């Protein structure tokens, strides 16, 4: 039996990032009666432009840090749910400097669940399939809600830690919570440090794209709009204390995705350079989202990867003012790491 929850006044942490801002757009487009308070520290990954057109009666922005307990004491009362997206989210950065990942992903989540507990606010925790580690390329298995945690990187281990905190707060304190673990997202507004936008913007700038290792690492791609509809479904219909995996059967290896991008952008499929692999690089992720689909009836709508990719490429072509300010610094960082 699913339970129905009708939120009226929610906090979205990290709502100026890639996926969190898409969720804010989703709520505005589909639930005009729900008030949204976006709490975001505007790190290098946050951009107020992502939600600026929405600010007004329905969407309010608070510039602040999820680790700030005093701010949470002022902000959380009066809200009925927290949807928690804020995180340090980039694996390569976590390898170069893990500390901010511990701070935001672990301590920040702790501060939020403490506030949710204190003010009896429902909590939805947005997490990643990377907590499960990786699968072999020839393994027919996919991750399910029962797969043991086996994170590989500083990023995924801090996300795993935060998942476990949220689960313990349910068991120990009865926190009203749900968790989702989603596969790799793509779509507009993704930071240029991430795989797909980095390749697209390199090609636009006339830089040869770069591919890690042997390029055979498999990711299970999902359009960020499908992630948003899934999170809304879990928030409003999910059973308390439960975890739901979100995925859209989008398994593709990095080499195939890069060739897809080159083809869509009118380039020869071999117009890229190989670079050394990321240490501890996970081999394959694959999600079985049967529970979410059968129990809550959720379905992805972007089932054609190539058409989602074309739309994403077009967005980066049309919006250089959004990504250009971050591009040079991002490439300088990669260059210093030999990537
Ligand atoms: N990108 C993916 O493919 C993917 C897949 C599954 C799950 N997730 C999860 O989804 C969430 C969002 O990912 P994303 O790709 O949109 O990340 P992002 O890096 O694009 O955005 C993160 C946002 O959080 C904000 N933030 C960071 N630290 C903060 C702090 N201490 N206090 C307040 N705000 C802070 C940033 O300013 C930014 O707006 C993360 O929890 C991530 O683990 C991401």
């Amino acid at each position: 039996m699913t339970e129905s929850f009708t939120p009226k006044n929610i906090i979205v942490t990290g709502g100026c990032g890639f996926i969190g801002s898409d969720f804010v757009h989703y709520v505005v487009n589909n639930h005009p009666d729900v008030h949204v308070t976006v709490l975001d520290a505007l790190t290098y990954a946050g951009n107020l432009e992502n939600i600026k057109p929405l600010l007004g009666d329905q969407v309010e922005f608070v510039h602040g840090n999820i680790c700030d307990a005093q701010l949470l004491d002022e902000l959380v009362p009066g809200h009925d749910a927290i949807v928690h997206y804020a995180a340090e989210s980039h694996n390569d950065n976590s390898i170069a400097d893990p500390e901010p990942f511990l701070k935001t992903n672990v301590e920040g989540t702790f501060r939020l669940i403490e506030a949710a507990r204190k003010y009896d606010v429902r909590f939805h925790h947005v997490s990643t399939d990377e907590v499960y580690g990786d699968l072999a390329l020839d393994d027919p298995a996919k991750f399910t809600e029962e797969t043991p945690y086996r994170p590989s990187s500083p990023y995924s281990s801090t996300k795993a830690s935060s998942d476990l905190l949220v689960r313990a707060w349910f068991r120990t304190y009865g926190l009203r919570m749900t968790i989702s673990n989603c596969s790799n997202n793509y779509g507009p507004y993704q930071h240029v440090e991430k795989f797909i936008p980095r390749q697209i913007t390199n090609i636009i700038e006339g830089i040869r794209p770069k591919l890690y290792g042997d390029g055979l690492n498999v990711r299970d791609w999902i359009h960020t709009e499908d992630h948003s509809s899934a999170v809304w479904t879990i928030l409003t219909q999910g059973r308390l204390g439960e975890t739901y995996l979100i995925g859209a059967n989008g398994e593709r290896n990095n080499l195939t995705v890069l060739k897809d991008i080159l083809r869509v952008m009118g380039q020869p499929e071999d117009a890229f350079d190989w670079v050394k692999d990321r240490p501890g690089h996970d081999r394959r992720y694959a999600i079985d989202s049967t529970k979410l689909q059968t129990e809550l009836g959720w379905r992805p709508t972007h089932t054609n990867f190539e058409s989602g990719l074309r739309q994403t490429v077009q967005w980066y072509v049309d919006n250089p003012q959004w990504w250009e300010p971050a591009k040079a610094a991002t490439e300088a960082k990669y260059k210093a790491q030999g990537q």
Side-chain angles (χ1 to χ4, degrees), residues 23 83 85 124 126 180 227-236 246:
F23 182 75
V83 185
Y85 286 92
H124 180 73
V126 176
S180 53
H227 189 176
S228 293
S229 67
V231 166
W232 179 264
T233 303
I234 297 164
L235 174 70
T236 55
I246 306 174

Side-chain angles (χ1 to χ4, degrees), residues 128-136 139-151 160 163-164 167 181 243-245 284-289 291:
T128 166
D129 62 349
E130 299 187 30
V131 298
Y132 299 114
D134 60 355
L135 298 160
D139 187 344
K142 295 184 173 204
F143 299 138
T144 73
E145 288 78 4
E146 312 309 322
T147 304
Y149 275 35
R150 202 168 55 87
D163 293 10
L164 298 182
R167 288 183 182 188
N181 297 82
T243 289
Y244 295 87
L245 261 54
R284 171 173 162 255
Y285 305 135
I287 286 271
D288 178 349
S289 63
K291 178 176 174 184

Side-chain angles (χ1 to χ4, degrees), residues 13-21 39-47 50 64-67 84-90 100 103-105 108 125-130 155 159 180-186 189-191 193-194 221-222 227:
T13 73
C16 294
F18 164 47
I19 308 179
S21 65
L39 171 61
D40 199 297
L42 296 179
T43 67
Y44 79 97
N47 190 340
N50 299 4
N65 199 303
I66 58 169
C67 298
H84 177 34
Y85 286 92
E88 287 292 338
S89 70
H90 193 42
K103 190 92 188 138
T104 287
N105 300 359
H125 183 58
V126 176
S127 193
T128 166
D129 62 349
E130 299 187 30
Y155 163 65
K159 291 297 292 188
S180 53
N181 297 82
C182 186
S183 58
N184 281 61
N185 284 222
Y186 74 99
Y189 295 101
Q190 189 169 28
H191 195 278
E193 69 189 355
K194 300 292 198 304
W221 293 99
I222 180 172
H227 189 176

Side-chain angles (χ1 to χ4, degrees), residues 87-107 152-159 161 337:
E88 287 292 338
S89 70
H90 193 42
N91 263 311
D92 291 315
N93 293 344
S94 81
I95 295 166
D97 181 13
E99 194 164 338
F101 289 74
L102 271 292
K103 190 92 188 138
T104 287
N105 300 359
V106 182
E107 185 191 333
S152 316
S153 73
Y155 163 65
S156 54
S157 60
T158 57
K159 291 297 292 188
S161 307
Q337 294 166 7

Side-chain angles (χ1 to χ4, degrees), residues 148-224:
Y149 275 35
R150 202 168 55 87
S152 316
S153 73
Y155 163 65
S156 54
S157 60
T158 57
K159 291 297 292 188
S161 307
S162 64
D163 293 10
L164 298 182
L165 289 174
V166 176
R167 288 183 182 188
W169 261 237
F170 169 74
R171 175 87 189 248
T172 305
Y173 303 113
L175 178 74
R176 290 183 295 123
M177 69 76 168
T178 41
I179 298 179
S180 53
N181 297 82
C182 186
S183 58
N184 281 61
N185 284 222
Y186 74 99
Y189 295 101
Q190 189 169 28
H191 195 278
V192 289
E193 69 189 355
K194 300 292 198 304
F195 181 73
I196 289 180
R198 184 178 184 213
Q199 312 296 7
I200 295 171
T201 54
N202 274 352
I203 295 168
I204 294 173
E205 292 211 323
I207 304 168
R208 276 171 77 84
K210 309 210 169 21
L211 189 61
Y212 289 139
D214 60 9
L216 298 182
N217 304 58
V218 172
R219 300 293 175 259
D220 192 349
W221 293 99
I222 180 172
H223 195 284
T224 188

Side-chain angles (χ1 to χ4, degrees), residues 5-11 34-35 76-82 119-123 176 235:
F5 169 61
T6 313
K8 286 278 169 235
N9 193 10
I10 65 176
I11 293 174
V34 176
H35 183 268
V76 173
H79 290 88
D80 50 22
I82 297 172
Y119 300 109
D120 190 22
V121 168
R122 186 164 171 142
F123 191 80
R176 290 183 295 123
L235 174 70

